[in-house]
Coordinates of all heavy atoms in Angstrom, one line a residue:
M1 N 12.8 -26.1 12.0 CA 11.6 -25.8 11.2 C 12.0 -25.2 9.9 O 12.8 -24.3 9.8 CB 10.8 -24.8 12.0 CG 9.5 -24.4 11.3 SD 8.5 -23.3 12.4 CE 7.3 -22.9 11.3
N2 N 11.4 -25.8 8.9 CA 11.6 -25.3 7.5 C 10.5 -24.3 7.1 O 9.3 -24.6 7.3 CB 11.6 -26.5 6.6 CG 12.1 -26.2 5.2 OD1 12.6 -25.1 5.0 ND2 12.0 -27.1 4.3
I3 N 11.0 -23.2 6.7 CA 10.0 -22.1 6.3 C 9.6 -22.3 4.8 O 10.5 -22.3 3.9 CB 10.6 -20.7 6.5 CG1 10.8 -20.5 8.0 CG2 9.6 -19.7 6.0 CD1 11.5 -19.2 8.3
G4 N 8.4 -22.6 4.6 CA 7.9 -22.9 3.2 C 7.1 -21.7 2.6 O 7.0 -20.6 3.2
L5 N 6.6 -22.0 1.4 CA 5.9 -20.9 0.7 C 4.6 -20.5 1.4 O 4.3 -19.3 1.4 CB 5.5 -21.5 -0.7 CG 4.7 -20.6 -1.6 CD1 5.4 -19.3 -1.9 CD2 4.3 -21.3 -2.9
E6 N 4.0 -21.4 2.1 CA 2.8 -21.1 2.8 C 3.0 -20.1 3.9 O 2.1 -19.3 4.2 CB 2.1 -22.4 3.3 CG 2.8 -23.2 4.3 CD 3.8 -24.1 3.7 OE1 3.9 -24.3 2.5 OE2 4.5 -24.8 4.5
H7 N 4.1 -20.2 4.6 CA 4.4 -19.2 5.6 C 4.5 -17.8 5.1 O 4.0 -16.8 5.6 CB 5.7 -19.6 6.3 CG 5.7 -20.9 7.0 ND1 6.2 -22.0 6.5 CD2 5.1 -21.2 8.2 CE1 6.0 -23.0 7.4 NE2 5.3 -22.5 8.4
Y8 N 5.2 -17.6 3.9 CA 5.3 -16.3 3.3 C 3.9 -15.8 2.9 O 3.6 -14.6 3.0 CB 6.2 -16.4 2.1 CG 7.7 -16.5 2.5 CD1 8.3 -17.7 2.3 CD2 8.4 -15.4 3.0 CE1 9.7 -17.9 2.7 CE2 9.7 -15.5 3.3 CZ 10.4 -16.8 3.1 OH 11.7 -16.9 3.5
L9 N 3.1 -16.7 2.3 CA 1.8 -16.3 1.9 C 0.9 -16.0 3.0 O 0.0 -15.0 2.9 CB 1.2 -17.4 1.0 CG 1.9 -17.7 -0.3 CD1 1.2 -18.8 -1.0 CD2 2.0 -16.5 -1.1
V10 N 1.0 -16.6 4.2 CA 0.2 -16.3 5.3 C 0.6 -14.9 5.8 O -0.3 -14.0 6.1 CB 0.4 -17.3 6.4 CG1 -0.2 -16.8 7.8 CG2 -0.3 -18.6 6.1
V11 N 1.9 -14.6 5.9 CA 2.3 -13.3 6.3 C 1.8 -12.2 5.3 O 1.4 -11.1 5.7 CB 3.9 -13.2 6.5 CG1 4.3 -11.8 6.7 CG2 4.3 -14.1 7.6
S12 N 1.9 -12.5 4.1 CA 1.5 -11.6 3.0 C 0.0 -11.4 3.2 O -0.5 -10.2 3.0 CB 1.8 -12.1 1.6 OG 1.3 -11.3 0.6
A13 N -0.8 -12.4 3.4 CA -2.2 -12.3 3.5 C -2.6 -11.4 4.8 O -3.5 -10.6 4.7 CB -2.9 -13.6 3.6
V14 N -1.9 -11.6 5.9 CA -2.1 -10.9 7.1 C -1.8 -9.4 6.8 O -2.6 -8.5 7.2 CB -1.3 -11.4 8.3 CG1 -1.3 -10.5 9.4 CG2 -1.8 -12.8 8.7
L15 N -0.7 -9.1 6.2 CA -0.3 -7.7 5.9 C -1.3 -7.1 5.0 O -1.7 -5.9 5.2 CB 1.1 -7.6 5.3 CG 2.2 -7.9 6.2 CD1 3.5 -7.9 5.4 CD2 2.3 -6.9 7.3
F16 N -1.8 -7.8 4.0 CA -2.8 -7.3 3.1 C -4.1 -7.0 3.8 O -4.8 -6.0 3.6 CB -3.0 -8.2 1.9 CG -3.8 -7.6 0.8 CD1 -3.2 -6.9 -0.2 CD2 -5.2 -7.8 0.7 CE1 -3.9 -6.3 -1.2 CE2 -5.9 -7.2 -0.3 CZ -5.3 -6.5 -1.3
A17 N -4.5 -7.9 4.7 CA -5.7 -7.8 5.4 C -5.6 -6.5 6.3 O -6.6 -5.8 6.5 CB -6.1 -9.0 6.2
L18 N -4.5 -6.4 7.0 CA -4.3 -5.2 7.9 C -4.4 -3.9 7.0 O -5.0 -2.9 7.5 CB -3.0 -5.3 8.6 CG -2.9 -6.3 9.7 CD1 -1.5 -6.4 10.3 CD2 -3.9 -5.9 10.8
G19 N -3.8 -3.9 5.9 CA -3.9 -2.7 5.0 C -5.3 -2.5 4.5 O -5.8 -1.3 4.5
L20 N -6.0 -3.5 4.2 CA -7.4 -3.3 3.7 C -8.3 -2.8 4.9 O -9.1 -2.0 4.7 CB -7.9 -4.7 3.2 CG -9.3 -4.6 2.6 CD1 -9.4 -3.7 1.4 CD2 -9.8 -6.1 2.2
L21 N -8.0 -3.4 6.1 CA -8.8 -2.9 7.3 C -8.5 -1.4 7.5 O -9.4 -0.7 7.9 CB -8.4 -3.8 8.5 CG -9.1 -3.5 9.8 CD1 -10.6 -3.9 9.6 CD2 -8.4 -4.2 10.9
G22 N -7.2 -1.0 7.3 CA -6.9 0.4 7.5 C -7.6 1.3 6.5 O -8.0 2.4 6.9
V23 N -7.7 0.8 5.3 CA -8.3 1.6 4.3 C -9.8 1.7 4.5 O -10.4 2.8 4.4 CB -8.1 1.0 2.9 CG1 -9.0 1.6 1.8 CG2 -6.6 1.2 2.5
I24 N -10.4 0.7 5.0 CA -11.9 0.7 5.2 C -12.2 1.4 6.5 O -13.2 2.2 6.5 CB -12.4 -0.8 5.3 CG1 -12.3 -1.4 3.9 CG2 -13.8 -0.8 5.7 CD1 -12.6 -2.9 3.9
T25 N -11.5 1.3 7.6 CA -11.9 1.8 8.8 C -11.4 3.1 9.2 O -12.0 3.8 10.0 CB -11.6 0.8 10.0 OG1 -10.2 0.6 10.0 CG2 -12.3 -0.5 9.8
R26 N -10.3 3.5 8.7 CA -9.6 4.8 9.2 C -10.2 6.0 8.4 O -10.7 5.9 7.3 CB -8.1 4.7 9.0 CG -7.5 3.6 9.7 CD -7.8 3.6 11.2 NE -7.3 4.8 11.8 CZ -6.6 4.9 12.9 NH1 -6.4 3.8 13.6 NH2 -6.1 6.0 13.4
R27 N -10.2 7.1 9.1 CA -10.7 8.4 8.5 C -9.7 9.4 8.1 O -9.9 10.3 7.4 CB -11.7 9.0 9.5 CG -12.8 8.0 9.7 CD -13.8 8.6 10.7 NE -14.9 7.7 10.8 CZ -15.8 7.8 11.7 NH1 -15.8 8.8 12.5 NH2 -16.8 6.9 11.8
N28 N -8.4 9.2 8.6 CA -7.4 10.1 8.3 C -6.8 9.7 6.9 O -6.4 8.5 6.7 CB -6.3 10.0 9.4 CG -5.3 11.1 9.2 OD1 -5.0 11.5 8.1 ND2 -4.7 11.6 10.3
I29 N -6.6 10.6 6.0 CA -6.2 10.3 4.7 C -4.7 9.8 4.7 O -4.4 9.0 3.8 CB -6.4 11.5 3.7 CG1 -6.4 11.0 2.3 CG2 -5.5 12.6 4.0 CD1 -6.9 12.0 1.3
L30 N -3.9 10.3 5.6 CA -2.5 9.8 5.7 C -2.4 8.4 6.1 O -1.6 7.6 5.6 CB -1.7 10.7 6.6 CG -1.4 12.1 6.1 CD1 -0.7 12.9 7.2 CD2 -0.5 12.0 4.9
V31 N -3.3 8.0 7.0 CA -3.3 6.6 7.5 C -3.9 5.7 6.3 O -3.3 4.6 6.1 CB -4.2 6.4 8.8 CG1 -4.3 5.0 9.2 CG2 -3.6 7.2 9.9
I32 N -4.8 6.2 5.6 CA -5.3 5.4 4.5 C -4.2 5.2 3.4 O -4.0 4.2 2.9 CB -6.6 6.1 3.9 CG1 -7.7 6.1 4.8 CG2 -6.9 5.6 2.5 CD1 -8.9 6.9 4.4
Y33 N -3.5 6.3 3.2 CA -2.4 6.3 2.3 C -1.3 5.2 2.7 O -0.8 4.4 1.9 CB -1.8 7.7 2.2 CG -0.9 7.9 1.1 CD1 -1.4 8.0 -0.2 CD2 0.5 8.1 1.3 CE1 -0.5 8.2 -1.3 CE2 1.3 8.3 0.2 CZ 0.8 8.4 -1.0 OH 1.7 8.6 -2.1
M34 N -1.0 5.2 4.0 CA 0.0 4.2 4.5 C -0.6 2.8 4.4 O 0.2 1.9 4.2 CB 0.4 4.6 6.0 CG 1.2 5.8 6.1 SD 1.9 6.0 7.7 CE 0.4 6.3 8.7
S35 N -1.9 2.6 4.6 CA -2.5 1.3 4.5 C -2.4 0.8 3.0 O -2.2 -0.4 2.8 CB -3.9 1.4 5.0 OG -4.0 1.7 6.3
L36 N -2.5 1.7 2.1 CA -2.4 1.3 0.7 C -1.0 0.9 0.4 O -0.7 -0.1 -0.3 CB -2.7 2.5 -0.2 CG -4.2 2.8 -0.4 CD1 -4.4 4.1 -1.2 CD2 -4.9 1.7 -1.1
E37 N 0.0 1.6 1.0 CA 1.4 1.1 0.8 C 1.6 -0.2 1.4 O 2.4 -1.1 0.9 CB 2.4 2.2 1.4 CG 2.3 3.5 0.7 CD 2.9 3.4 -0.7 OE1 3.8 2.6 -0.9 OE2 2.4 4.2 -1.5
L38 N 1.0 -0.5 2.6 CA 1.1 -1.8 3.2 C 0.5 -2.9 2.3 O 1.1 -4.0 2.2 CB 0.4 -1.8 4.6 CG 0.6 -3.0 5.4 CD1 2.0 -3.2 5.8 CD2 -0.3 -2.9 6.7
M39 N -0.6 -2.6 1.7 CA -1.1 -3.6 0.7 C -0.2 -3.9 -0.5 O -0.1 -5.0 -0.9 CB -2.5 -3.1 0.3 CG -3.5 -3.1 1.4 SD -5.0 -2.2 1.0 CE -5.7 -3.2 -0.3
L40 N 0.4 -2.8 -1.0 CA 1.4 -3.0 -2.1 C 2.6 -3.9 -1.6 O 3.0 -4.7 -2.4 CB 1.9 -1.7 -2.6 CG 0.9 -0.9 -3.5 CD1 1.5 0.5 -3.8 CD2 0.6 -1.6 -4.7
N41 N 3.0 -3.6 -0.4 CA 4.2 -4.4 0.1 C 3.8 -5.9 0.3 O 4.6 -6.8 0.2 CB 4.8 -3.8 1.3 CG 5.6 -2.5 1.0 OD1 6.2 -2.5 -0.1 ND2 5.5 -1.6 1.8
A42 N 2.5 -6.1 0.7 CA 2.1 -7.5 0.9 C 2.1 -8.2 -0.4 O 2.5 -9.4 -0.5 CB 0.7 -7.5 1.5
A43 N 1.6 -7.5 -1.5 CA 1.7 -8.1 -2.8 C 3.1 -8.4 -3.3 O 3.4 -9.4 -3.9 CB 1.0 -7.2 -3.8
N44 N 4.0 -7.5 -2.9 CA 5.4 -7.7 -3.2 C 6.0 -8.9 -2.6 O 6.7 -9.7 -3.2 CB 6.2 -6.4 -2.8 CG 6.1 -5.3 -3.8 OD1 5.7 -5.5 -4.9 ND2 6.4 -4.1 -3.3
L45 N 5.6 -9.1 -1.3 CA 6.1 -10.2 -0.6 C 5.6 -11.5 -1.2 O 6.4 -12.5 -1.3 CB 5.7 -10.2 0.9 CG 6.1 -11.3 1.8 CD1 7.6 -11.4 1.9 CD2 5.4 -11.2 3.2
A46 N 4.3 -11.6 -1.6 CA 3.8 -12.8 -2.2 C 4.5 -13.0 -3.6 O 4.8 -14.2 -3.9 CB 2.3 -12.6 -2.4
L47 N 4.7 -12.0 -4.3 CA 5.4 -12.2 -5.6 C 6.8 -12.7 -5.4 O 7.3 -13.6 -6.2 CB 5.4 -10.9 -6.4 CG 4.1 -10.5 -7.0 CD1 4.2 -9.1 -7.6 CD2 3.7 -11.4 -8.1
I48 N 7.5 -12.1 -4.5 CA 8.9 -12.6 -4.2 C 8.9 -14.0 -3.7 O 9.8 -14.8 -4.1 CB 9.6 -11.7 -3.2 CG1 9.9 -10.3 -3.8 CG2 10.9 -12.3 -2.6 CD1 10.9 -10.3 -4.9
A49 N 8.0 -14.4 -2.9 CA 7.9 -15.8 -2.4 C 7.6 -16.7 -3.6 O 8.3 -17.8 -3.7 CB 6.8 -15.9 -1.3
F50 N 6.7 -16.4 -4.4 CA 6.4 -17.3 -5.6 C 7.6 -17.4 -6.5 O 7.9 -18.4 -7.0 CB 5.2 -16.8 -6.4 CG 3.9 -17.1 -5.8 CD1 3.0 -16.2 -5.4 CD2 3.5 -18.5 -5.6 CE1 1.7 -16.5 -4.9 CE2 2.3 -18.8 -5.1 CZ 1.4 -17.9 -4.7
S51 N 8.3 -16.2 -6.7 CA 9.4 -16.2 -7.5 C 10.6 -17.1 -7.0 O 11.2 -17.8 -7.7 CB 9.9 -14.8 -7.7 OG 11.1 -14.7 -8.4
R52 N 10.8 -17.0 -5.7 CA 11.9 -17.8 -5.1 C 11.6 -19.3 -5.1 O 12.4 -20.1 -5.4 CB 12.1 -17.3 -3.6 CG 13.2 -18.1 -2.9 CD 13.3 -17.6 -1.5 NE 14.4 -18.3 -0.8 CZ 14.4 -19.5 -0.3 NH1 13.3 -20.2 -0.4 NH2 15.5 -20.0 0.3
F53 N 10.3 -19.7 -4.8 CA 10.0 -21.1 -4.7 C 9.8 -21.7 -6.0 O 9.8 -22.9 -6.1 CB 8.8 -21.3 -3.8 CG 9.2 -21.2 -2.3 CD1 9.1 -20.0 -1.6 CD2 9.8 -22.3 -1.6 CE1 9.4 -19.9 -0.3 CE2 10.1 -22.2 -0.3 CZ 10.0 -21.0 0.3
N54 N 9.6 -20.9 -7.1 CA 9.4 -21.5 -8.4 C 10.7 -21.3 -9.3 O 10.7 -21.7 -10.5 CB 8.2 -20.9 -9.1 CG 6.9 -21.3 -8.5 OD1 6.8 -22.4 -8.0 ND2 5.9 -20.4 -8.5
N55 N 11.7 -20.7 -8.7 CA 13.0 -20.5 -9.4 C 12.7 -19.7 -10.7 O 13.2 -20.1 -11.8 CB 13.7 -21.8 -9.7 CG 14.3 -22.3 -8.4 OD1 14.6 -21.6 -7.5 ND2 14.3 -23.7 -8.3
N56 N 11.9 -18.7 -10.6 CA 11.5 -17.9 -11.8 C 11.7 -16.4 -11.4 O 11.3 -16.0 -10.3 CB 10.1 -18.2 -12.2 CG 9.7 -17.6 -13.5 OD1 10.5 -16.8 -14.1 ND2 8.5 -18.0 -14.0
L57 N 12.3 -15.6 -12.3 CA 12.5 -14.2 -12.0 C 11.4 -13.3 -12.4 O 11.5 -12.1 -12.1 CB 13.8 -13.8 -12.7 CG 15.1 -14.5 -12.2 CD1 16.3 -13.9 -13.0 CD2 15.3 -14.2 -10.7
D58 N 10.3 -13.8 -12.9 CA 9.2 -13.0 -13.3 C 8.6 -12.2 -12.2 O 8.2 -11.0 -12.3 CB 8.1 -13.8 -14.0 CG 8.6 -14.3 -15.4 OD1 9.6 -13.8 -15.9 OD2 8.0 -15.2 -15.9
G59 N 8.5 -12.8 -11.0 CA 7.9 -12.2 -9.9 C 8.8 -11.0 -9.4 O 8.3 -10.0 -9.0
Q60 N 10.1 -11.2 -9.4 CA 11.0 -10.1 -9.0 C 10.9 -9.0 -10.0 O 11.0 -7.8 -9.5 CB 12.4 -10.7 -8.9 CG 12.5 -11.7 -7.8 CD 13.9 -12.3 -7.7 OE1 14.8 -11.8 -8.3 NE2 14.0 -13.3 -6.9
V61 N 10.7 -9.2 -11.2 CA 10.6 -8.1 -12.2 C 9.3 -7.4 -11.9 O 9.2 -6.1 -12.0 CB 10.6 -8.7 -13.6 CG1 10.2 -7.6 -14.6 CG2 11.9 -9.3 -13.9
M62 N 8.2 -8.1 -11.6 CA 6.9 -7.4 -11.2 C 7.1 -6.6 -10.0 O 6.5 -5.5 -9.8 CB 5.8 -8.5 -11.0 CG 5.3 -9.1 -12.3 SD 4.6 -7.8 -13.4 CE 3.2 -7.3 -12.4
V63 N 7.9 -7.0 -9.0 CA 8.1 -6.3 -7.8 C 8.8 -4.9 -8.1 O 8.4 -3.9 -7.6 CB 9.0 -7.1 -6.8 CG1 9.5 -6.2 -5.7 CG2 8.1 -8.2 -6.2
F64 N 9.7 -4.9 -9.1 CA 10.4 -3.7 -9.5 C 9.3 -2.7 -10.1 O 9.3 -1.5 -9.9 CB 11.5 -3.9 -10.4 CG 12.8 -4.4 -9.8 CD1 13.3 -5.5 -10.1 CD2 13.3 -3.6 -8.8 CE1 14.5 -6.0 -9.5 CE2 14.5 -4.0 -8.1 CZ 15.1 -5.2 -8.5
F65 N 8.4 -3.3 -10.9 CA 7.3 -2.5 -11.4 C 6.4 -1.9 -10.4 O 6.0 -0.7 -10.4 CB 6.5 -3.4 -12.4 CG 5.4 -2.6 -13.1 CD1 5.6 -1.7 -14.0 CD2 4.1 -2.9 -12.7 CE1 4.5 -1.0 -14.6 CE2 3.0 -2.2 -13.3 CZ 3.3 -1.3 -14.2
I66 N 6.1 -2.7 -9.4 CA 5.2 -2.3 -8.3 C 5.9 -1.2 -7.4 O 5.3 -0.2 -7.0 CB 4.8 -3.5 -7.4 CG1 3.8 -4.3 -8.2 CG2 4.1 -3.0 -6.1 CD1 3.4 -5.6 -7.5
I67 N 7.2 -1.4 -7.2 CA 7.9 -0.4 -6.5 C 8.0 1.0 -7.2 O 7.8 2.0 -6.7 CB 9.4 -0.9 -6.2 CG1 9.3 -2.0 -5.1 CG2 10.3 0.3 -5.7 CD1 10.6 -2.7 -4.8
T68 N 8.1 0.9 -8.6 CA 8.1 2.1 -9.4 C 6.7 2.8 -9.3 O 6.6 4.0 -9.2 CB 8.4 1.7 -10.8 OG1 9.6 1.0 -10.9 CG2 8.4 3.0 -11.7
V69 N 5.6 2.0 -9.4 CA 4.3 2.6 -9.3 C 4.1 3.2 -7.9 O 3.5 4.3 -7.7 CB 3.2 1.5 -9.6 CG1 1.8 2.0 -9.2 CG2 3.3 1.1 -11.0
A70 N 4.6 2.5 -6.8 CA 4.5 3.0 -5.5 C 5.2 4.3 -5.3 O 4.8 5.3 -4.6 CB 5.0 2.0 -4.5
A71 N 6.4 4.4 -5.9 CA 7.2 5.7 -5.8 C 6.4 6.8 -6.5 O 6.4 7.9 -6.0 CB 8.6 5.5 -6.5
A72 N 5.8 6.5 -7.7 CA 5.1 7.6 -8.4 C 3.8 7.9 -7.6 O 3.4 9.1 -7.5 CB 4.6 7.1 -9.8
E73 N 3.2 6.9 -6.9 CA 2.1 7.2 -6.1 C 2.4 8.1 -4.9 O 1.7 9.0 -4.5 CB 1.5 5.9 -5.6 CG 0.4 6.0 -4.6 CD 0.1 4.7 -3.9 OE1 0.5 3.7 -4.3 OE2 -0.6 4.8 -2.9
V74 N 3.6 7.9 -4.3 CA 4.0 8.7 -3.2 C 4.2 10.1 -3.7 O 3.7 11.1 -3.0 CB 5.3 8.1 -2.6 CG1 6.0 9.2 -1.7 CG2 5.1 6.9 -1.9
A75 N 4.8 10.3 -4.8 CA 5.1 11.7 -5.3 C 3.8 12.4 -5.6 O 3.6 13.5 -5.1 CB 5.9 11.6 -6.5
V76 N 2.9 11.8 -6.3 CA 1.6 12.4 -6.6 C 0.7 12.5 -5.4 O 0.0 13.5 -5.2 CB 0.9 11.7 -7.8 CG1 -0.4 12.2 -8.1 CG2 1.8 11.8 -9.0
G77 N 0.6 11.4 -4.7 CA -0.4 11.4 -3.6 C 0.0 12.3 -2.5 O -0.9 13.0 -2.0
L78 N 1.2 12.4 -2.1 CA 1.6 13.3 -1.1 C 1.4 14.8 -1.5 O 1.1 15.6 -0.7 CB 3.0 13.1 -0.6 CG 3.2 11.9 0.3 CD1 4.7 11.7 0.7 CD2 2.4 12.0 1.6
A79 N 1.7 15.1 -2.8 CA 1.5 16.4 -3.3 C 0.0 16.8 -3.2 O -0.4 17.9 -2.8 CB 1.9 16.5 -4.7
L80 N -0.9 15.8 -3.5 CA -2.3 16.1 -3.4 C -2.8 16.3 -1.9 O -3.6 17.2 -1.6 CB -3.1 15.0 -4.0 CG -3.1 14.9 -5.6 CD1 -3.8 13.6 -6.0 CD2 -3.8 16.1 -6.1
I81 N -2.2 15.4 -1.1 CA -2.6 15.5 0.3 C -2.1 16.9 0.9 O -2.8 17.5 1.7 CB -2.0 14.3 1.1 CG1 -2.7 13.1 0.7 CG2 -2.1 14.6 2.6 CD1 -2.1 11.8 1.3
V82 N -0.9 17.3 0.6 CA -0.4 18.6 1.1 C -1.2 19.7 0.5 O -1.6 20.7 1.3 CB 1.1 18.7 0.7 CG1 1.6 20.2 0.9 CG2 1.9 17.8 1.5
A83 N -1.6 19.6 -0.7 CA -2.5 20.7 -1.3 C -3.8 20.8 -0.6 O -4.3 21.8 -0.3 CB -2.6 20.5 -2.8
L84 N -4.4 19.6 -0.4 CA -5.7 19.6 0.3 C -5.6 20.1 1.7 O -6.5 20.8 2.2 CB -6.3 18.1 0.3 CG -6.9 17.6 -1.0 CD1 -7.2 16.1 -0.9 CD2 -8.2 18.4 -1.3
F85 N -4.5 19.7 2.4 CA -4.3 20.2 3.8 C -4.1 21.7 3.8 O -4.7 22.4 4.7 CB -3.2 19.5 4.5 CG -3.0 19.9 5.9 CD1 -3.9 19.4 6.9 CD2 -2.0 20.8 6.2 CE1 -3.7 19.8 8.2 CE2 -1.8 21.2 7.6 CZ -2.7 20.7 8.5
R86 N -3.4 22.2 2.9 CA -3.2 23.7 2.9 C -4.5 24.4 2.6 O -4.7 25.5 3.2 CB -2.1 24.0 1.8 CG -0.7 23.7 2.2 CD 0.2 24.2 1.2 NE 1.6 23.9 1.6 CZ 2.6 24.0 0.8 NH1 2.5 24.3 -0.5 NH2 3.8 23.7 1.3
R87 N -5.3 23.9 1.8 CA -6.6 24.6 1.5 C -7.6 24.4 2.5 O -8.3 25.3 2.9 CB -7.1 24.0 0.1 CG -8.3 24.7 -0.4 CD -8.2 26.1 -0.7 NE -7.4 26.3 -1.9 CZ -7.5 27.3 -2.7 NH1 -8.3 28.3 -2.4 NH2 -6.8 27.3 -3.8
R88 N -7.8 23.2 3.0 CA -8.9 22.9 3.9 C -8.5 22.7 5.4 O -9.3 22.7 6.3 CB -9.5 21.5 3.5 CG -10.0 21.5 2.1 CD -11.5 21.9 2.0 NE -11.9 21.8 0.6 CZ -12.5 20.8 0.1 NH1 -12.8 19.8 0.7 NH2 -12.9 20.9 -1.2
Q89 N -7.2 22.6 5.7 CA -6.7 22.5 7.1 C -7.2 21.3 7.8 O -7.4 21.2 9.0 CB -7.0 23.7 7.9 CG -6.5 25.0 7.4 CD -4.9 25.0 7.4 OE1 -4.3 24.5 8.4 NE2 -4.3 25.5 6.4
T90 N -7.4 20.2 7.1 CA -7.8 18.9 7.6 C -7.4 17.8 6.8 O -7.1 17.9 5.6 CB -9.4 18.9 7.8 OG1 -9.7 17.7 8.5 CG2 -10.1 18.9 6.5
T91 N -7.2 16.6 7.4 CA -6.9 15.4 6.7 C -7.9 14.3 6.9 O -7.7 13.2 6.5 CB -5.5 14.8 7.1 OG1 -5.6 14.6 8.5 CG2 -4.4 15.8 6.8
H92 N -9.1 14.7 7.4 CA -10.2 13.7 7.6 C -11.0 13.6 6.3 O -11.3 14.6 5.7 CB -11.0 14.1 8.8 CG -10.3 13.9 10.1 ND1 -10.2 12.7 10.7 CD2 -9.7 14.8 10.8 CE1 -9.5 12.8 11.8 NE2 -9.2 14.1 11.9
V93 N -11.3 12.4 5.9 CA -12.0 12.2 4.6 C -13.5 12.7 4.7 O -14.0 13.0 3.6 CB -12.0 10.7 4.2 CG1 -10.6 10.3 3.7 CG2 -12.4 9.8 5.3
E94 N -14.1 12.8 5.9 CA -15.4 13.3 5.9 C -15.5 14.8 5.5 O -16.4 15.2 5.0 CB -16.0 13.2 7.3 CG -16.2 11.7 7.8 CD -15.1 11.3 8.6 OE1 -14.3 12.1 9.1 OE2 -15.0 10.1 8.8
D95 N -14.4 15.5 5.9 CA -14.4 16.9 5.5 C -14.0 17.1 4.1 O -14.1 18.2 3.6 CB -13.3 17.6 6.4 CG -13.7 17.5 7.9 OD1 -14.9 17.3 8.2 OD2 -12.8 17.5 8.7
L96 N -13.5 16.1 3.4 CA -13.1 16.2 2.0 C -14.1 15.6 1.1 O -13.9 14.6 0.5 CB -11.7 15.6 1.8 CG -10.6 16.1 2.7 CD1 -9.4 15.3 2.5 CD2 -10.3 17.6 2.4
T97 N -15.3 16.1 1.1 CA -16.4 15.5 0.3 C -16.3 15.8 -1.2 O -16.9 15.1 -2.0 CB -17.7 16.0 0.8 OG1 -17.8 17.4 0.8 CG2 -18.0 15.5 2.2
T98 N -15.6 16.8 -1.6 CA -15.4 17.1 -3.0 C -13.9 17.3 -3.3 O -13.1 17.6 -2.4 CB -16.1 18.4 -3.4 OG1 -15.5 19.5 -2.8 CG2 -17.6 18.3 -3.1
L99 N -13.6 17.1 -4.5 CA -12.2 17.2 -4.9 C -11.9 18.7 -5.3 O -10.8 19.1 -5.6 CB -11.8 16.3 -6.1 CG -11.7 14.8 -5.7 CD1 -11.4 14.0 -6.9 CD2 -10.6 14.6 -4.6
K100 N -12.9 19.5 -5.4 CA -12.8 20.9 -5.8 C -12.1 21.6 -4.6 O -12.5 21.6 -3.5 CB -14.1 21.5 -6.0 CG -14.1 22.9 -6.6 CD -15.5 23.4 -6.9 CE -15.5 24.8 -7.3 NZ -16.8 25.3 -7.6
L101 N -11.0 22.4 -5.0 CA -10.3 23.1 -3.9 C -11.0 24.4 -3.5 O -11.5 25.2 -3.7 CB -8.9 23.4 -4.4 CG -8.0 22.2 -4.5 CD1 -6.6 22.5 -5.0 CD2 -7.8 21.5 -3.1

């Protein structure tokens, strides 16, 4: 069996859909955060697949940019989540109705 571009795109779409479902349905802010990371990785997989099958390195360069943005998101996002948890003692989004600490 030859693995083609469509196989990578189907896996990427499934991962992105799972991440989107996690963002929409979950109430824990950490799970929402992990679902966002899953969506970013699904986009990375699609970019790498397009890059490989088109023999073009632009997609791989974009993946490095997305990984950089994800690393910054982890640093800032986790700091915000830890600060919210220390102040409110919860990670549920219903309890976090305002951003005011």
Side-chain angles (χ1 to χ4, degrees):
M1 180 176 169
N2 191 10
I3 297 176
L5 177 63
E6 62 274 0
H7 295 99
Y8 288 105
L9 293 180
V10 166
V11 171
S12 175
V14 168
L15 288 175
F16 191 87
L18 287 174
L20 184 63
L21 184 68
V23 168
I24 292 172
T25 61
R26 300 306 296 228
R27 297 181 180 170
N28 189 329
I29 197 164
L30 288 173
V31 176
I32 292 171
Y33 195 71
M34 288 189 298
S35 297
L36 285 172
E37 294 294 327
L38 187 62
M39 291 168 67
L40 284 174
N41 285 325
N44 283 341
L45 179 63
L47 285 171
I48 290 293
F50 279 121
S51 176
R52 182 182 183 278
F53 282 95
N54 291 327
N55 292 327
N56 191 351
L57 294 178
D58 292 342
Q60 295 178 10
V61 172
M62 285 299 296
V63 167
F64 283 122
F65 179 72
I66 291 173
I67 289 173
T68 304
V69 169
E73 175 194 345
V74 166
V76 173
L78 283 180
L80 288 172
I81 290 171
V82 168
L84 283 170
F85 183 75
R86 285 183 179 170
R87 180 65 74 154
R88 305 266 179 96
Q89 300 296 322
T90 184
T91 57
H92 291 280
V93 285
E94 294 96 17
D95 300 333
L96 304 172
T97 56
T98 65
L99 289 178
K100 185 177 177 182
L101 291 177

